[in-house]
Amino acid sequence: MDTNNTNKNVFELAITLGKALKEDERLVRMEAARKAYEEDPTLRQLTTEYDVQQRAIQKVASTEDFDPQLMESIQNRINELYDQIMAAPAYVELMAAQEAVNELMNAVNNTITFAITGEMPSNCTHDCSTCGGCH
C-alpha cells in the first residue's frame, strides 16, 4: 500500500470537504454575522471601552492603596458594557450563527468517526434533526 498516495487522497478529500463546508448556509451565515459584528460602530465603541475599563481595573487593583469605591465603579461600568455587548443584535446573531456552525462541525466529526469505527460517538443524540444523520 502506497501511504504517500493514500495520504494525498485523504488530504484531497479534506480539501473537497472544506470547500463544501465553506459553501454551507451555516458557514455563509456565520461569515456574514462576523462581518456585521466587526463593522458595527456601536459594538466597536463598546468593546474598545470594555477593554479600556478592564485595563483600568487591573491597574487600580495592582496598587497597594487602591480605592474600593473606584474598583466598584469600574466594575459596574464593565458589567454595563458587557450587558450592552451581549444584547447587541449583531452579537446575538454572531453567537447564534457560531452555535449552528459548531453543531454542523460536530455532526461532520461524528460522521467521520462513524465511518472509521462503525460506532457513533458518545455525543450522538440519535436525533438526526440535530446533525443531519449518519446512521
Side-chain angles (χ1 to χ4, degrees):
M1 179 182 207
D2 182 4
T3 57
N4 286 338
N5 196 31
T6 302
N7 285 341
K8 182 179 175 186
N9 289 339
V10 168
F11 289 105
E12 286 174 355
L13 290 170
I15 289 169
T16 301
L17 175 61
K19 288 178 180 178
L21 287 169
K22 188 175 181 178
E23 294 175 9
D24 184 274
E25 66 185 43
R26 289 159 284 201
L27 273 94
V28 170
R29 174 186 174 200
M30 189 181 74
E31 182 59 26
R34 183 194 59 75
K35 185 176 180 184
Y37 172 83
E38 290 174 355
E39 293 177 355
D40 185 305
T42 302
L43 274 169
R44 195 174 9 249
Q45 182 265 326
L46 290 170
T47 55
T48 299
E49 184 182 350
Y50 182 87
D51 292 341
V52 168
Q53 295 294 340
Q54 287 285 356
R55 287 192 299 274
I57 203 166
Q58 290 171 359
K59 184 174 182 178
V60 171
S62 69
T63 61
E64 286 184 27
D65 58 343
F66 72 88
D67 180 354
Q69 289 179 334
L70 178 58
M71 287 282 290
E72 182 179 349
S73 174
I74 295 171
Q75 187 60 57
N76 288 341
R77 182 61 184 151
I78 288 171
N79 293 342
E80 290 171 9
L81 291 165
Y82 178 84
D83 291 343
Q84 289 175 348
I85 292 167
M86 294 293 152
Y91 180 83
V92 171
E93 171 58 14
L94 178 59
M95 291 301 101
Q98 180 64 55
E99 185 177 332
V101 167
N102 290 345
E103 289 174 5
L104 171 65
M105 297 309 293
N106 285 335
V108 168
N109 287 330
N110 287 345
T111 303
I112 292 169
T113 299
F114 179 72
I116 293 169
T117 66
E119 296 179 17
M120 286 306 301
S122 60
N123 62 348
C124 179
T125 64
H126 298 288
D127 174 8
C128 296
S129 68
T130 64
C131 72
C134 52
H135 54 89

